[in-house]
Amino acid sequence: MQLVIGRIGKPHGVRGEVTVEVRTDEPEARFAPGSVLRTEPGATPPPTTDEPGVPFRVPAELTIEEARFHQGRVLVAFEGIPDRNTAEALRGTLLVVDSADVAPPDDPEEFHDHQLVGLAVVTPAGERLGEVARIDHAPSSDLLVLRRPEGRTALIPFVRAIVPEVDLAGGRVIVDPPAGLLDL
């Protein structure tokens, strides 16, 4: 499974640096110089190069030449991206890593999103409520997005009072929702 760790934003300066919208808890490790990241082109088609008739294609992999933090953002220079025009062609590209390359968290109370997606969600009594569709990272707490059997979705705060147990080996998340939570 491919995990998105960032999205390339606008160019910064004229030497090919780009801003990166970080989507990982470990930006220092993921964006270290020498790291090779796979790419998935964004929704917008890449512009052409300055050379007539030669369209620019986003490479399947990008190697980080340099990364630095600047005013709360990560600025990255990739090998082979020498100028602002080429950097602009990368805008919207997703940077991904394979989930097999991501070590499990050291804390047994911490989970990566990909570990939770697809798990069955059940009550303490064993009643099936649905499955985890995705995780939304809200400012106050993470939210499990529950896909209900009838097709609706529900948001469940990922806090111990409501989610007392995550059983990865058993493929389930035990949820004790307060009355009305799943009806919102």
Side-chain angles (χ1 to χ4, degrees):
M1 168 188 266
Q2 297 296 313
L3 304 176
V4 176
I5 62 161
R7 182 178 160 275
I8 296 176
K10 63 184 181 178
H12 179 82
V14 297
R15 295 190 177 116
E17 278 187 315
V18 294
T19 60
V20 174
E21 174 190 321
V22 176
R23 297 186 188 174
T24 178
D25 289 342
E26 302 171 328
E28 293 84 6
R30 298 280 172 234
F31 297 103
S35 296
V36 177
L37 302 175
R38 293 187 193 112
T39 64
E40 288 186 9
T44 57
T48 58
T49 61
D50 291 338
E51 194 175 331
V54 179
F56 176 82
R57 297 209 185 276
V58 174
E61 294 182 338
L62 290 169
T63 302
I64 296 177
E65 190 172 274
E66 180 183 352
R68 61 190 171 100
F69 291 86
H70 177 69
Q71 297 180 349
R73 295 184 290 185
V74 176
L75 299 178
V76 178
F78 294 105
E79 290 179 9
I81 308 299
D83 57 38
R84 184 178 186 90
N85 291 339
T86 310
E88 179 65 43
L90 296 175
R91 188 187 289 227
T93 300
L94 299 176
L95 301 170
V96 299
V97 296
D98 193 310
S99 62
D101 297 337
V102 178
D106 295 331
D107 183 352
E109 299 290 315
E110 188 177 324
F111 306 95
H112 291 299
D113 292 2
H114 72 277
Q115 294 176 294
L116 301 172
V117 173
L119 295 182
V121 177
V122 298
T123 65
E127 175 190 354
R128 185 172 169 86
L129 300 173
E131 74 175 32
V132 178
R134 70 175 189 275
I135 312 300
D136 284 351
H137 300 280
S140 60
S141 73
D142 293 338
L143 298 167
L144 298 176
V145 178
L146 172 66
R147 184 180 307 112
R148 304 279 290 159
E150 66 274 7
R152 294 184 312 118
T153 59
L155 299 177
I156 300 173
F158 195 20
V159 295
R160 179 163 293 287
I162 299 172
V163 184
E165 184 180 346
V166 174
D167 179 7
L168 291 178
R172 65 188 184 141
V173 176
I174 298 174
V175 173
D176 191 9
L181 179 68
L182 302 179
D183 299 326
L184 296 177

